[in-house]
Amino acid sequence: MSLPSSFSARRLALGIALAGAFTLAGAADFAGRGVFNFRSDAGCPFAALAGKGNDCNRLALDDPDTRAALDIGAYTIRFVNTRSYAGKTIVGDVLLQGSGQARGGQRVPLTFHALLSRSGNEWSVSSHAHTPIGGEFSDIRIDPYQIVVVSESTTDHVLLTADQIVDALARPSLTARLANVFVQVEDNRADGAKDADITIGLGLSGASKSVARARFRAPGAKGRDLAEAMQQGNWTLELQALSGQIPRQVVQRDLFLYGLESQSLLQPLLQRGFRKNEKLVLGAASGKGYVRYDGQQREFAGADASARAFLQDSFIGLVLGWQQQHSPVKTKTDAR
């Protein structure tokens, strides 16, 4: 795998801008709350959404006390935070894009997601894989990053190695079982349907509880190109809560990650989370973006950027994007 030839950072949410970037040296430093994208040499799940730079890997900093250094030459992401937290608190995350070969020979987009937390002065990490279909995968292709944190003694501690990341992607169902995370995806499309439409459930297959429904509609789409579907200027991305039990912290963090937390219309959602059957819709009509929630709609110039980030970075988005390019399969499967 060749070394990256370029680096770029893109902030998708509120926060302090990039502290310093050194493209020639292949490194960048980040400080303050924000979400940043950087190049994936292994490719992106939906390349056209990422642009020519393939900037679909992600690094997020959740609070102003966290700093990170990205060394793309040494494939190392180093986090620094010396604050003591009263309880376990997410302070940042890393999302790496890759792909693997399914048993039938099909190449499938795979995403590795690691959440970094602090409790007191101690670091911890939880990680999982995003996959649009179930099964195990071989020939994993992903940039060989390691994730490192700096302890109080200023020495490095490796939280995740490149080999551990590959192992998690090769057997995502095992990783989910070890983490006690069971996510079910049901394809809601009828035969011949073009619009991506899924129901998300939590729990073991056959006994899962439906928690959300997600739909992506682009009437002007031609062929199977997700980016082209959005370029038509008429599309909707709809998220509906099927349960009032979605953790508020999950909703708050997603609004942060996808550049939505500053939207005045969404402040009730930010404060209390979803109520059962509530819908959040991002869309565009004749090229003009909007956000819709709780029966109200506002213009939102950033709708396209938020939707593109969601489709590429989130588990739900990955499945929706996969559906956009593949025929309906009327089965209920473990997808992560």
Side-chain angles (χ1 to χ4, degrees):
M1 182 178 294
S2 60
L3 292 178
S5 58
S6 65
F7 169 84
S8 67
R10 177 168 55 93
R11 188 174 63 186
L12 297 178
L14 291 178
I16 299 175
L18 178 64
F22 309 95
T23 304
L24 198 61
D29 295 329
F30 303 86
R33 193 166 186 267
V35 183
F36 309 90
N37 287 88
F38 60 98
R39 179 180 176 85
S40 168
D41 267 7
C44 300
F46 313 114
L49 294 183
K52 295 180 180 179
N54 270 3
D55 297 328
C56 59
N57 286 337
R58 185 185 78 200
L59 186 155
L61 303 178
D62 285 60
D63 65 25
D65 296 299
T66 306
R67 292 179 289 121
L70 172 69
D71 188 334
I72 59 178
Y75 286 111
T76 298
I77 303 171
R78 181 175 286 102
F79 286 84
V80 179
N81 184 317
T82 58
R83 175 180 165 186
S84 179
Y85 293 82
K88 187 175 182 179
T89 304
I90 295 173
V91 298
D93 80 5
V94 174
L95 186 143
L96 301 175
Q97 304 283 10
S99 66
Q101 185 172 301
R103 287 182 176 177
Q106 184 179 35
R107 182 145 292 275
V108 176
L110 305 174
T111 302
F112 180 81
H113 187 201
L115 283 167
L116 281 75
S117 300
R118 296 268 291 175
S119 180
N121 295 318
E122 298 297 321
W123 288 94
S124 63
V125 62
S126 62
S127 60
H128 55 267
H130 299 170
T131 72
I133 62 175
E136 297 186 355
F137 303 91
S138 60
D139 189 23
I140 304 297
R141 301 175 188 174
I142 193 166
D143 297 348
Y145 280 98
Q146 63 173 348
I147 300 174
V148 174
V149 296
V150 178
S151 69
E152 297 302 314
S153 60
T154 70
T155 57
D156 284 358
H157 173 64
V158 179
L159 284 184
L160 286 168
T161 67
D163 286 343
Q164 288 174 319
I165 292 172
V166 168
D167 288 343
L169 293 175
R171 297 190 293 171
S173 59
L174 175 61
T175 303
R177 286 197 296 271
L178 293 175
N180 203 24
V181 177
F182 300 95
V183 181
Q184 311 287 335
V185 176
E186 183 172 4
D187 188 341
N188 297 322
R189 296 174 297 173
D191 292 341
K194 295 181 179 179
D195 297 332
D197 186 346
I198 60 175
T199 295
I200 305 298
L202 297 179
L204 293 172
S205 181
S208 64
K209 177 179 176 59
S210 296
V211 295
R213 185 173 185 177
R215 285 175 274 199
F216 179 74
R217 186 169 185 268
K222 298 178 181 179
R224 302 193 308 180
D225 192 317
L226 187 63
E228 185 178 353
M230 301 186 73
Q231 289 168 2
Q232 302 298 320
N234 294 283
W235 56 268
T236 56
L237 173 62
E238 178 184 295
L239 303 174
Q240 179 182 12
L242 301 181
S243 166
Q245 302 303 311
I246 300 174
R248 179 170 56 92
Q249 295 85 348
V250 172
V251 177
Q252 290 174 329
R253 194 159 197 278
D254 279 353
L255 293 177
F256 158 62
L257 290 173
Y258 303 115
L260 294 167
E261 67 177 4
S262 64
Q263 288 295 304
S264 59
L265 180 61
L266 302 181
Q267 291 311 298
L269 181 60
L270 184 70
Q271 296 300 320
R272 59 168 169 75
F274 273 111
R275 291 174 177 165
K276 186 175 181 179
N277 294 323
E278 280 191 332
K279 294 181 182 179
L280 169 62
V281 180
L282 294 174
S286 300
K288 182 173 292 187
Y290 63 84
V291 57
R292 185 188 307 144
Y293 172 71
D294 195 25
Q296 300 181 64
Q297 182 170 306
R298 305 266 179 88
E299 288 189 14
F300 178 35
D304 181 75
S306 292
R308 285 170 181 262
F310 182 85
L311 288 167
Q312 188 151 256
D313 294 355
S314 73
F315 163 64
I316 292 175
L318 185 67
V319 178
L320 289 175
W322 180 262
Q323 276 199 359
Q324 179 74 22
Q325 303 175 66
H326 296 83
S327 300
V329 178
K330 298 304 292 181
T331 58
K332 193 169 185 177
T333 59
D334 295 327
R336 186 169 78 184

